Amino acid sequence: MTKAGPNPATGPFPVTDTLPASLNPTAASGTGWTCNIAGQTVTCTRNDAVAAGGAYPSINLTANVVSGGSVSNTATVSGGGDPNSANNSSTDTGTAASQA
């Protein structure tokens, strides 16, 4: 997450990622993040401030492939009083291969 805009922002900053049924989340972590998994939903939160132009470390998410094929996954960040929530999501699309 990179903070755009001229002012710092204060947390909490939850990042939520509900994985598609073809992926089963098994672990999530990142420096300074507190992460929880509930079913298909992974939520990681930070409570510290982020400076204008600053960024937090990445979140690493591990999942088992339930079924292979095309997968689209979206994570969304909220919090900090952001007036423009239209740019708070990121989607990744790829191909998952199940192990035999």
Side-chain angles (χ1 to χ4, degrees), residues 16 19 67:
T16 305
L19 276 65
S67 60

Side-chain angles (χ1 to χ4, degrees), residues 11-88:
F13 295 101
V15 175
T16 305
D17 188 349
T18 302
L19 276 65
S22 59
L23 299 175
N24 182 24
T26 59
S29 65
T31 301
W33 293 97
T34 300
C35 298
N36 295 297
I37 299 173
Q40 291 300 107
T41 302
V42 177
T43 303
C44 295
T45 304
R46 286 187 72 112
N47 290 308
D48 54 331
V50 61
Y56 287 136
S58 297
I59 297 168
N60 297 304
L61 173 62
T62 304
N64 289 331
V65 176
V66 176
S67 60
S70 179
V71 176
S72 181
N73 184 52
T74 301
T76 303
V77 65
S78 58
D82 186 359
N84 180 11
S85 62
N87 64 357
N88 291 359

